[in-house]
Amino acid sequence: MELYQLRTFVTVAETGNLTQASERLFTSQPAVSAHIKALEEELDLMLFERTARGMRLTDKGMILRQHAQSVLDRSNDLKIKARSLKNELSSRLRIGLNSDTQYLRLAEWHTKLISQHPHLKIELSYAPSVELLKQVRIGELDASFFSGDTDENELQQIDLFTTHAVVAGAPKYSDMLKQASVDDLSKIPWIKPEPLCVYHKMINELFSKTRQQPESITLSASEDSTMALLCAGAGLAFIRDDEAQPMVEKGKVVIWPGKRFSLPLRFAFHQSRSSDPSILALAEVIQGCFELEW
């Protein structure tokens, strides 16, 4: 019996679906099926009933799920205890970034963290908030920044600060934006972010009650490309107000005076890591940098 089989068992029990479980675990559906089959054969018990609607735990599977989760938690506790026995923090921390490095104050907290714990190894990865939180939940990342809200109950969150998102466009849209209604905005081309981006949810909310959905001329894959297209007059886009203000002063963009959207920046890690010395050190340094700055 392997830990990865237990992790697969618990994930399938949570989702009730092999496809969703494979997406959470970042593996293939046949691999998930093989893990479950091997575990059932070793335990000599049927853990799931295969139905037309997915995978349903048997009565015995429900009991063993609790024990499987306990084993996974104890395995994680063992790793944490091993780290705490060392005089110096020397683990590897995989941290997710959801925005530009200046906004996330990367240089400040990284420099402070390494100066305090020089044997820590830091690995950084960039992705939309939704994807990063998924990776934290399944253990692919140790912690991550994210924007907006989440219903990931397994994660512990730290509020860093809150900014706002505004609708911006090139100066050529200045007269149109001054008196524009939401319906008027839907008639102007938009530079839309990828679906997992928090700004995509804001666009859907903004136009949820309009008859006409905005025309999307470009699907932008990054904040840099969105900003370049925005300044070039390709269309409207959501950007942070702290990014917008300097550009307004330089005459590069104009801001729609209508609704602004709250955009909290947060930091998250799995609840099972709440006593991990490395995570605690990382969270303390990051929170301290943001408290000093904002």
Side-chain angles (χ1 to χ4, degrees), residues 86 88-92 119-121 278:
K86 297 182 180 180
E88 294 182 328
L89 299 181
S90 58
S91 60
R92 177 187 62 158
H119 297 289
L120 280 176
K121 305 298 181 184
S278 297

Side-chain angles (χ1 to χ4, degrees), residues 188-202:
I188 304 175
W190 276 74
I191 306 162
K192 286 189 176 180
E194 58 183 339
L196 292 180
C197 178
V198 65
Y199 293 143
H200 196 277
K201 181 179 179 181
M202 292 179 183

